[in-house]
Amino acid sequence: MSTTTDPSGDPVAELPASLAEIRDEFLAVPERERLQLLLEFANELPDLPERYASAPGMLERVEECQSPVRAFAEVDGESVVHFYATAPAEAPTTRGFASILAQGVSGLTAQQVLDIPDEFPLQIGLTRAISPLRLNGMSGMLTRAKRQIREQLATHP
Amino acid sequence: MPAPLDTTEKITQYAHPDRLVSTDWLAEHLGQQGIVVVESDEDVLLYETGHIPGAVKIDWHTDLNDPDTRDYIDGKEFAQLLGSKGIGRDTTLVVYGDKNNWWAAYAAWVFTLFGHEDVRLLDGGRGKWIAEGRETTTDVPAPDTVEYPVVERDDVTIRAFKEDVLAHVGNGPLVDIRSPQEFTGERLHIPDYPEEGVLRGGHIPTARNVPWATAVAEDGTYKSREQLEAIYQEGGLGLASDDEVVTYCRIGERSSHTWFALTYLLGFDKVRNYDGSWTEWGNAVRVPIAKGTEPGEAPASLA
């Protein structure tokens, strides 16, 4: 990951390719169609792996989300991150956010995830289509994922 | 010409039976000339996953709120919005949504600020329609644009601002419809909801706490008139139907649900919703709050 500078002169961490691709996908379509794209992500949210599906209590509740969503970022023995989440069908926006992170974060190294800019949710062109308040939900998921990763690195460095 | 009324016994008991329709009524009248069904949800994508056939979507945040000022759109924007959805001034609107109609009631309240005459809520909202296995579609209607007049928003009759509430404390009932934990100040926001950045927890002095859900039956419909009277009037909160009441919550959406119940189901004629609600009051400079389970006294500074 390289570092560039934004117009104000502050260094800005570049997005990992997986997230940059998702961002570009959103920015490539007109604002109105971005909702439809988010819905596609919502529909693609993978089911939980068996060990979590049978014990959803292992996943942490994301309080910033308007709907009950549980998510967990797991660091495996190779220091690669896997992001799992579950949210009900009647919460498609939340499912969409979770799916973006599941697709964009899984497979990255722990350090790459920790380096994702916290303002990533504001960079995918949904601020007007969705409202900043609703985007808090994705920020909450990202913040928690980073904390979970730090905790695991601290326990099993 | 307004659509016929729902003559179900439960609905005819209410003070204004022209404001609520059952899912049966809607299924029967769906697609009729002069009726437009509006879905208004908390989840901005829910409509896209499937909605009542023919329903148009109006989002509280991206359609009804002004993007720059914390306020609603103006008369001109409202006329454009409704006209673009095929709604005329004499259209019968049936509004429904998720979360027990919080946002539907909020939309109905905003439509009423603009004096739209015939606004009805679908009793039980989206949840009931779906639970009953009724038809939904992902087809988005493309209505012909209709001429909707530019009407000035009435910010006096059913809307209260912070200054109005300051003048109201100690002089009339205030109903705080948030959760008990938000009321006491133990929590700053709804459990499991986004933190909206309120500095202090508690309630407006003298306010009494009747969580919005108290008005709702298990299937998400409003309770019967008799049950609602027992909650808000004699034997309950003790309000009289000619009291000047102010309701509030966090941003004004859940309190719209109670505004609707007091105004149309019980026939109160002076209920105002304070849409600034706790996200304004809890942050405002030199504004008193009360903590704990008691309503608290009106501060001398407000007398």
Side-chain angles (χ1 to χ4, degrees), chain A residues 79-129:
Chain A
S79 196
V80 171
V81 173
H82 306 272
F83 181 83
Y84 304 114
T86 174
E90 56 272 24
T93 301
T94 301
R95 287 180 63 85
F97 292 161
S99 178
I100 287 174
L101 291 181
Q103 295 185 33
V105 165
S106 293
L108 298 180
T109 65
Q111 192 56 49
Q112 279 177 312
V113 178
L114 294 176
D115 288 341
I116 295 170
D118 289 333
E119 61 274 17
F120 167 73
L122 299 173
Q123 295 174 348
I124 54 176
L126 286 173
T127 317
R128 273 199 301 188

Side-chain angles (χ1 to χ4, degrees), chain B residues 203-251:
Chain B
H203 55 268
I204 300 177
T206 75
R208 282 171 301 160
N209 186 211
V210 183
W212 68 276
T214 317
V216 169
E218 242 172 65
D219 62 357
T221 58
Y222 276 112
K223 286 181 179 166
S224 69
R225 178 165 189 176
E226 202 181 335
Q227 291 170 312
L228 292 177
E229 282 172 350
I231 295 164
Y232 297 105
Q233 296 181 265
E234 217 184 310
L237 206 51
L239 301 177
S241 59
D242 58 353
D243 278 346
E244 290 186 18
V245 182
V246 172
T247 62
Y248 73 93
C249 57
R250 177 183 58 117
I251 55 171

Side-chain angles (χ1 to χ4, degrees), chain B residues 45-73:
Chain B
L45 269 184
L46 198 51
Y47 171 90
E48 279 77 6
T49 67
H51 48 263
I52 297 178
V56 296
K57 167 184 174 179
I58 293 185
D59 185 67
W60 65 279
H61 211 310
T62 58
D63 288 323
L64 295 176
N65 280 7
D66 182 278
D68 301 322
T69 307
R70 182 171 171 189
D71 202 351
Y72 303 100
I73 53 176

Side-chain angles (χ1 to χ4, degrees), chain B residues 161-202:
Chain B
F161 294 102
K162 187 182 95 209
E163 294 68 28
D164 301 324
V165 180
L166 283 166
H168 185 75
V169 171
N171 297 308
L174 266 164
V175 184
D176 181 323
I177 64 77
R178 296 173 301 159
S179 62
Q181 295 81 3
E182 291 171 275
F183 181 85
T184 58
E186 191 184 316
R187 260 183 192 278
L188 286 172
H189 63 119
I190 322 185
D192 305 328
Y193 265 62
E195 176 55 73
E196 281 154 333
V198 182
L199 293 174
R200 293 168 304 159

Side-chain angles (χ1 to χ4, degrees), chain A residues 35 61 63 65-66 93 134, chain B residues 42-43 59-60 192-193:
Chain A
L35 279 184
R61 179 128 189 183
E63 301 264 343
C65 282
Q66 298 189 334
T93 301
R134 285 166 166 148
Chain B
E42 176 175 288
D43 192 303
D59 185 67
W60 65 279
D192 305 328
Y193 265 62

